[in-house]
Amino acid sequence: MVTVESLGHVCFTIADDKYKVIIDPFLNGNPQATTTPDKIKVDGILATHGHSDHLGDSIEISKLTGAVVVAPYELAMYCKRYGAKVHPMHIGGSWNFDFGWVKLVQTFHGSAIVSDDAIEYVGAACGFLVTMSGKTIYHAGDTCLFSDMKLIGDRHPIDVALIPIGDNFTMGIDDAVEATRFLHPKMVIPMHYDTNEYIKADPKEFARKVKGLAKCVTLKPAKKLEIP
Ligand code: NI
Ligand code: MN
């Protein structure tokens, strides 16, 4: 049985009977978070880009658990500099880990570590395809709608797609509906909304508009979905 659990905003864990990975572990500072990095036990950490609401506590969780941070090369090297165990990859590349298969796919977004007095760019942002125990999950990361989502969905049948709907920094609801049409997953879970004042969105509106394209599941933080 493969399960997807929301930890708030864009942070999800994917687990099968043996392994668990966490994607974009933004816990410290996440108003939706219901847990803390020291409680996370995972075999892999997947980070889509350097923005604090995605890279989050990746480095700390790697140090605590020994789990590898899987990220685009430049971001992986940044994590290594601060003591994380890393596996650098880049867009289009895939790898078979003990926990499952991972492929980095494109997004249209920035990737930088932003602090009070500096901005350090860390390459391109990515999305992830993850296959564990025969189920494929797509985490879109932060992105606009792009027509090559059709290519992603056609080449890799998706069981669950995690799609941003919050607008302003990423696609909004109407573009997320079109993204679902392109990706044609069995199930879609909206993410990246209601975390701050810029990204207010109504998941019920998305659920209504996406009807007929995929089964829409709104996953509240700390709630789990079992993939049939
Ligand atoms: Ni971002
Ligand atoms: Mn974001």
Side-chain angles (χ1 to χ4, degrees):
M1 176 66 76
V2 177
T3 58
V4 177
E5 181 179 12
S6 168
L7 298 183
H9 188 53
V10 287
C11 178
F12 292 87
T13 63
I14 305 167
D16 64 11
D17 298 335
K18 263 178 105 172
Y19 297 105
K20 188 190 244 191
V21 299
I22 190 164
I23 307 179
D24 282 354
F26 171 46
L27 301 172
N28 275 319
N30 178 354
Q32 298 178 358
T34 57
T35 187
T36 49
D38 55 296
K39 300 205 175 65
I40 301 294
K41 299 275 173 282
V42 288
D43 304 287
I45 303 154
L46 279 53
T48 59
H49 63 289
H51 294 159
S52 58
D53 62 319
H54 297 259
L55 178 63
D57 306 298
S58 295
I59 295 168
E60 186 183 344
I61 295 169
S62 175
K63 284 183 184 170
L64 288 169
T65 60
V68 76
V69 177
V70 179
Y73 176 78
E74 296 82 355
L75 177 58
M77 290 303 111
Y78 176 90
C79 293
K80 191 178 172 196
R81 189 204 297 164
Y82 293 101
K85 207 170 139 190
V86 302
H87 181 111
M89 295 181 69
H90 232 302
I91 292 161
S94 62
W95 189 264
N96 278 309
F97 294 89
D98 286 343
F99 56 77
W101 177 85
V102 175
K103 184 174 185 179
L104 268 65
V105 293
Q106 79 189 93
T107 63
F108 289 88
H109 197 64
S111 183
I113 316 295
V114 180
S115 53
D116 288 342
D117 56 357
I119 296 178
E120 183 174 354
Y121 280 91
V122 285
C126 75
F128 287 111
L129 285 162
V130 182
T131 302
M132 290 174 72
S133 295
K135 301 294 181 189
T136 297
I137 292 90
Y138 168 62
H139 188 295
D142 279 356
T143 189
C144 63
L145 171 67
F146 54 93
S147 58
D148 278 355
M149 283 180 165
K150 182 150 181 18
L151 188 64
I152 295 172
D154 286 354
R155 287 177 55 78
H156 305 285
I158 296 166
D159 291 284
V160 178
L162 312 168
I163 306 272
I165 65 162
D167 218 336
N168 191 75
F169 296 115
T170 67
M171 58 182 139
I173 286 174
D174 290 334
D175 283 355
V177 170
E178 199 56 34
T180 309
R181 192 189 310 275
F182 284 154
L183 292 160
H184 52 85
K186 289 188 185 135
M187 285 188 259
V188 63
I189 299 175
M191 63 176 185
H192 210 272
Y193 65 94
D194 284 356
T195 320
N196 60 56
E197 73 272 23
Y198 293 115
I199 56 172
K200 295 269 180 226
D202 180 7
K204 290 199 193 84
E205 183 191 340
F206 175 68
R208 203 166 56 240
K209 289 181 169 173
V210 85
K211 218 172 176 181
L213 296 177
K215 183 174 186 238
C216 180
V217 180
T218 302
L219 213 51
K220 293 244 164 62
K223 287 282 176 279
K224 261 184 208 166
L225 168 75
E226 293 184 345
I227 305 176

